[in-house]
Amino acid sequence: MILAPTIRSHIEDYIKQQSYKLQHFANICEINVGTISAIINGTRPIAMNQLDQITSGMGLKKGYFYEMYAIEFFVKAAPDWRRLEPFLYRCAELNKLDCIKKVVIEVTEDRMYTSELFKVAENMYNKEMKPAAFILYECVAECEKYQHSERLALCQYRIFLLSCCSDQKVSERAAARFEPFVDRLEEEYKLDALKDLGNLYSAVHDFERLYPLTYKMENLAKSMKIYENKDNVSVKRNAIYPIFVYEGYSLIMRASCYSRIGKYEEALQCTLNYHQLIVTNPTEEDLLFINKFKKWGEINTYLFKLKLGKNEVLQDYIERVEDDGEELVIALFNIIQAANRFKFNINFLLGKYKDKIELIHIGSNREYSAQNWDTILVKFFYELAVYHLSRSNYDMGMIALIRSIEISNYINNDSAMIKCVNLFGEYRIFASEEIRTKYKHILQLKYIV
């Protein structure tokens, strides 16, 4: 039987091929010659730093032996955490995810290292080693799937966050898997989880799920504020934001729910409530968010008055946001939507901000999650298309409609795509040959035609 080569045999072969003395090779690797000898003879296991030094000394790419190391020390032998932990980090740094999968499947069979793996996953998550952290979270969750532990819930929360992406269907499936675990989370993590779920439901227009979630988040934040005010002991905060911020976000989300069904007076009341949030002895961080809520409250007061048909607020509304790129886009979307509904002319505004509209791109870097922003852009360009097409500005309308179709396809939003396709069909006769070619190409990619 031919034995599979080992790391030690590779080292021996290399030394022979190069006609090195053991001492010379040890000097190249900057490792004690006795240590090198013991490694080759199999009387001493290879530590991770020694493996990297030897790999470098042999002129090989860093991580060259990691697959073999995983098999020799963690699959065929009982794993030692002192070697396993640094191995996981090195693999994460080099993006050797297959090595991590192979090892953690083996070591989680007896659940001996579940707690340690969870700690490593959290550390990797915080260090932005997220693909590697995702693998560890899934393994830990699998080990604890029959338990009602906070650790299992936190794993599922991290898996949800790491699963969310531009594809809204994938994100919705991730939310459905995670939602049963929300109530098992520690309260501060639960606040963040409710906010993250709320952002997703808002992005995919699932207002039936969003509406009750806003009350759950508001009530939890209020109860935690009472507890926080009674306890003057300073403790590390697990929640991303100050507790009162979640109360404000819950009201913003609820206002969007009311707006969706045309209850603009109720949306105005929610806006007034977060505009006037009070915090006792606010910190600098608190003041930052208080000012944000005041700004958003003022802007959204104009918005909901506009949605009630009061176009006299239009100039104040646009002036309040015109120096803020993303808020300007939101304001223009709302104005275009109102113009379509109430049939008033906004050509002067569209002409004024023409250049900025052309520079709009997917992906938000600020207040909006990427998913929410991309959904907003789909609706923005759809409403802009409706505005232009209904006024016989066919070229501009078709350009806007194609952009909406492109983004709908990118985020895999079927309902938005269907609306766009229906609108294109209505005005197809006015589309240029270039627009028709683009349209056909997008739909071919979508496997519609």
Side-chain angles (χ1 to χ4, degrees):
M1 182 178 70
I2 299 174
L3 296 175
T6 63
I7 296 173
R8 292 196 299 275
S9 68
H10 276 280
I11 298 170
E12 282 185 292
D13 291 344
Y14 178 80
I15 292 172
K16 288 176 183 176
Q17 289 165 7
Q18 300 298 321
S19 301
Y20 284 156
K21 295 289 186 183
L22 196 59
Q23 180 65 61
H24 180 64
F25 182 65
N27 291 342
I28 293 173
C29 298
E30 298 181 351
I31 299 176
N32 179 276
V33 67
T35 301
I36 288 283
S37 177
I39 287 171
I40 292 173
N41 292 329
T43 58
R44 177 171 182 157
I46 311 172
M48 278 305 304
N49 63 322
Q50 293 167 350
L51 180 64
D52 287 339
Q53 287 173 281
I54 291 170
T55 304
S56 177
M58 293 172 68
L60 298 171
K61 185 178 178 181
K62 190 173 182 180
Y64 180 86
F65 288 117
Y66 282 11
E67 286 82 1
M68 295 177 70
Y69 193 83
I71 293 169
E72 289 182 35
F73 290 95
F74 307 123
V75 177
K76 291 184 176 179
D80 182 338
W81 183 252
R82 290 174 299 175
R83 282 193 294 275
L84 177 57
E85 184 178 19
F87 177 77
L88 293 173
Y89 281 110
R90 299 289 175 85
C91 287
E93 289 167 5
L94 297 178
N95 204 36
K96 287 187 168 288
L97 303 182
D98 287 342
C99 286
I100 295 176
K101 287 179 185 177
K102 187 177 294 184
V103 168
V104 295
I105 288 171
E106 291 293 328
V107 301
T108 52
E109 280 189 354
D110 60 7
R111 293 168 170 74
M112 182 177 175
Y113 294 119
T114 302
S115 179
E116 286 83 356
L117 287 173
F118 175 75
K119 291 175 185 175
V120 171
E122 285 286 270
N123 199 28
M124 286 181 175
Y125 182 86
N126 293 326
K127 290 183 175 181
E128 299 297 320
M129 299 176 174
K130 293 186 176 177
F134 182 85
I135 295 170
L136 299 188
Y137 284 129
E138 284 203 315
C139 285
V140 173
E142 181 63 24
C143 287
E144 303 201 49
K145 66 180 179 179
Y146 299 114
Q147 301 178 36
H148 293 267
S149 66
E150 282 187 13
R151 186 165 67 195
L152 172 59
L154 189 53
C155 279
Q156 294 291 354
Y157 177 35
R158 301 294 194 218
I159 290 169
F160 161 66
L161 291 175
L162 294 171
S163 298
C164 287
C165 60
S166 60
D167 189 321
Q168 292 186 344
K169 289 182 182 177
V170 172
S171 299
E172 284 183 89
R173 288 195 293 269
R177 287 196 301 271
F178 168 58
E179 199 167 2
F181 297 93
V182 175
D183 289 333
R184 301 187 203 174
L185 286 167
E186 185 270 329
E187 286 183 329
E188 290 191 28
Y189 285 122
K190 186 176 177 180
L191 280 176
D192 283 318
L194 290 170
K195 179 179 178 293
D196 292 327
L197 280 170
N199 283 335
L200 175 61
Y201 294 148
S202 177
V204 300
H205 290 178
D206 192 342
F207 293 99
E208 287 186 11
R209 277 194 166 92
L210 178 60
Y211 183 74
L213 181 147
T214 66
Y215 280 104
K216 185 181 284 191
M217 182 160 61
E218 181 184 26
N219 292 336
L220 178 59
K222 283 181 175 179
S223 66
M224 290 180 68
K225 270 173 58 181
I226 294 170
Y227 175 80
E228 191 177 50
N229 292 335
K230 287 181 179 178
D231 190 356
N232 294 321
V233 180
S234 178
V235 294
K236 181 180 179 298
R237 189 180 81 206
N238 287 323
I240 294 175
Y241 308 108
I243 302 303
F244 82 94
V245 172
Y246 298 91
E247 183 181 350
Y249 280 138
S250 72
L251 291 165
I252 289 174
M253 290 176 179
R254 196 175 312 141
S256 71
C257 292
Y258 283 130
S259 178
R260 175 70 175 177
I261 57 175
K263 292 188 174 183
Y264 302 122
E265 295 290 353
E266 289 85 345
L268 268 172
Q269 186 57 55
C270 289
T271 302
L272 179 64
N273 290 344
Y274 70 73
H275 183 265
Q276 297 177 341
L277 280 173
I278 297 172
V279 178
T280 307
N281 300 320
T283 64
E284 285 188 20
E285 184 184 22
D286 293 339
L287 288 171
L288 178 68
F289 283 102
I290 289 169
N291 290 332
K292 280 187 177 184
F293 283 125
K294 284 183 178 178
K295 175 187 172 184
W296 293 336
E298 182 181 351
I299 292 170
N300 287 331
T301 297
Y302 291 135
L303 162 63
F304 295 124
K305 286 181 177 179
L306 183 67
K307 285 181 179 263
L308 286 165
K310 300 176 181 178
N311 63 347
E312 65 269 16
V313 303
L314 192 152
Q315 194 61 41
D316 289 333
Y317 182 28
I318 203 74
E319 285 178 0
R320 187 67 180 83
V321 299
E322 66 180 346
D323 294 328
D324 186 328
E326 289 189 354
E327 289 299 335
L328 174 61
V329 173
I330 302 297
L332 286 172
F333 161 64
N334 289 318
I335 290 168
I336 295 166
Q337 195 175 48
N340 287 336
R341 182 182 177 191
F342 296 108
K343 309 300 181 187
F344 56 80
N345 189 303
I346 56 167
N347 287 344
F348 69 101
L349 272 182
L350 296 180
K352 181 178 180 181
Y353 298 111
K354 180 177 180 291
D355 292 342
K356 291 187 177 182
I357 291 172
E358 289 176 354
L359 293 174
I360 292 172
H361 57 84
I362 61 174
S364 168
N365 296 318
R366 295 175 57 242
E367 305 295 348
Y368 300 94
S369 71
Q371 288 176 328
N372 262 311
W373 181 249
D374 294 344
T375 302
I376 288 166
L377 295 191
V378 168
K379 295 189 292 183
F380 175 90
F381 286 112
Y382 178 83
E383 292 292 339
L384 184 59
V386 170
Y387 180 84
H388 284 308
L389 292 172
S390 64
R391 287 162 177 78
S392 302
N393 301 324
Y394 300 122
D395 288 344
M396 296 176 74
M398 282 297 177
I399 290 170
L401 184 56
I402 285 295
R403 290 197 71 180
S404 185
I405 291 172
E406 286 174 334
I407 301 171
S408 298
N409 184 47
Y410 174 75
I411 65 176
N412 199 14
N413 188 321
D414 286 343
S415 60
M417 178 68 86
I418 290 168
K419 281 183 67 177
C420 290
V421 167
N422 288 340
L423 185 61
F424 187 90
E426 187 177 346
Y427 290 91
R428 178 188 291 269
I429 191 174
F430 302 108
S432 68
E433 191 60 38
E434 181 184 358
I435 289 292
R436 291 188 189 193
T437 301
K438 280 186 179 180
Y439 174 77
K440 185 176 181 180
H441 177 66
I442 295 169
L443 265 62
Q444 283 174 335
L445 290 177
K446 187 71 177 172
Y447 302 111
I448 293 178
V449 298

